[in-house]
Amino acid sequence: MDDPHALMVSLVTLGDPATLTGGYLYHRRIAALAPRFGARVRFVSVPAAPYPLPVAAGPLVLRRVARQRPDVLLLDSIAAGYLAPWLPLRRPAVPVAAILHQPPGGIDSDGVRAASQALLDRWAYRTADPLLAASAALADDLAAAGLPRDRLRVVPPGRDVAPAPGEPPGDLRSGCRAALLSVGNWVARKGLLDLLDAVGRLPGDAGTLHLVGDPDAEPGYAARVRRRLAAPDLAGRVVVHGPLPAAGVAAFYAAADVFALASTREPYGTVYGEAMAAGLPVVGYAAGNLPHLARDGEEGLVVPPGDVPALTAALRRLVDDAALRRRMGAAAARRARAFPTWAQTAAQLVAELRVVAGR
């Protein structure tokens, strides 16, 4: 039975809330922890369909929200634009806030779709206050895109991937000098092809790369990745594990030597923070939020975006120098202690929404 004094939040997202991406995982962690802070989060999904068809579902979604009788309507940035035409007249008479994991127009689209979706997103955000951004870097991007700086609040994700790691995955080095780990779905902006090119340039005994994440998230890109994996220079050097539960991911962090992700656009980069908290030095491009998390030469090695030779050199430097790996890993763990836990993130977000409900 619901607590009659709990803050009731309707979170509108797109499709299945159990989808394995950083944004969906963020929402599920918040929903799981919200009762600890006197709140309940209920999901309402806009049906997933090719753009812009989900716009037609707006009235139905808002009727479902009204039946939940929330204190606050929380719009996920992946779904906000689909409700934009309907919010002025059909939304429940409750305050609206938005939680943003991407800029207006999305992070994986471009051209006409991105431009039209950006207009819808901004339209939806006109009535939302506050706009809760997942990182300081994203907040800067949102302000640059024209969203009001005074309505932006930063609520970053937690650093703790799971309460405890699962069963150890065994020796990830597989006879090489270092175990390299990358966690991310196979989508173009994660830069997996660049990372594979970099690994292919390393000496044969340098490292074994382990890939954790959904290989089917972007089928066209995944086909290119599979062709690259079949090349002779990667034979026996890359292990594909697919998506894993949180405890399994934590076990891989605990068993690896280096974390690498060559993202070119990353609004926060939850996995970077998780890897740092596990004591791993991180390697990646100076793009998105990574420069805000790890300092080049301190907690890891951060190289210019798209510079595969520099990415190769960074990996080789850490493979060749175990003492450097340990030193940077220890520094990463220390720095990560300043990142919030998921409980702290949930507490901050609920506090922000409680202010909204009290207006």
Side-chain angles (χ1 to χ4, degrees):
M1 184 174 180
D2 288 338
D3 179 352
H5 304 293
L7 178 74
M8 306 303 295
V9 180
S10 291
L11 198 166
V12 176
T13 190
L14 177 67
D16 185 359
T19 302
L20 287 176
T21 70
Y24 288 100
L25 289 167
Y26 182 114
H27 297 153
R28 293 205 302 277
R29 295 298 293 268
I30 293 297
L33 289 164
R36 188 185 301 183
F37 305 102
R40 292 185 181 274
V41 176
R42 292 170 168 166
F43 291 98
V44 182
S45 289
V46 175
Y51 179 85
L53 295 179
V55 171
L60 172 63
V61 171
L62 290 173
R63 285 198 295 272
R64 290 174 177 167
V65 170
R67 286 198 292 270
Q68 290 185 354
R69 302 179 66 184
D71 298 301
V72 179
L73 169 56
L74 182 59
L75 300 176
D76 177 4
S77 55
I78 201 171
Y82 297 130
L83 298 189
W86 313 104
L87 283 169
L89 296 176
R90 295 177 181 253
R91 73 175 175 87
V94 297
V96 177
I99 184 161
L100 283 69
H101 300 278
Q102 59 184 11
I107 198 168
D108 293 315
S109 58
D110 52 25
V112 173
R113 171 177 173 171
S116 60
Q117 187 172 331
L119 290 173
L120 289 170
D121 289 344
R122 290 192 181 93
W123 193 1
Y125 299 149
R126 288 185 310 170
T127 59
D129 186 11
L131 305 171
L132 304 169
S135 73
L138 178 58
D140 290 342
D141 290 344
L142 295 170
L147 298 186
R149 172 69 75 172
D150 62 346
R151 282 161 47 197
L152 289 167
R153 308 284 187 275
V154 176
V155 187
R159 66 178 187 262
D160 43 328
V161 61
E167 287 293 319
D171 179 14
L172 298 185
R173 293 181 181 176
S174 301
C176 293
R177 287 178 282 145
L180 312 176
L181 173 64
S182 189
V183 179
N185 293 338
W186 292 16
V187 297
R189 66 181 173 86
K190 298 291 184 180
L192 184 52
L193 287 173
D194 280 8
L195 180 58
L196 293 176
D197 285 346
V199 170
R201 298 181 184 194
L202 294 174
D205 68 339
T208 300
L209 174 64
H210 295 265
L211 301 179
V212 173
D214 184 359
D216 299 314
E218 195 172 287
Y221 185 73
R224 296 172 60 196
V225 170
R226 289 189 174 97
R227 286 195 297 270
R228 183 67 185 89
L229 286 170
D233 62 340
L234 293 177
R237 305 178 65 181
V238 182
V239 183
V240 176
H241 299 277
L244 296 176
V249 176
F252 271 81
Y253 287 136
D257 297 302
V258 177
F259 181 82
L261 184 66
S263 284
T264 55
R265 288 176 291 167
E266 201 67 61
Y268 182 80
T270 304
V271 292
Y272 290 123
E274 292 172 348
M276 291 171 66
L280 293 181
V282 296
V283 175
Y285 285 148
N289 198 50
L290 178 56
H292 292 263
L293 297 174
R295 297 166 295 184
D296 181 42
E298 297 290 335
E299 296 85 22
L301 298 172
V302 183
V303 304
D307 191 339
V308 174
L311 187 64
T312 305
L315 292 173
R316 181 157 189 174
R317 186 179 169 193
L318 287 168
V319 165
D320 289 346
D321 193 337
L324 178 65
R325 292 201 303 267
R326 290 192 294 270
R327 185 164 67 251
M328 285 189 171
R334 287 194 300 272
R335 186 169 176 85
R337 285 196 284 271
F339 304 161
T341 64
W342 277 110
Q344 291 168 331
T345 294
Q348 181 186 354
L349 190 141
V350 169
E352 294 281 1
L353 296 180
R354 203 174 293 283
V355 171
V356 174
R359 290 174 186 163

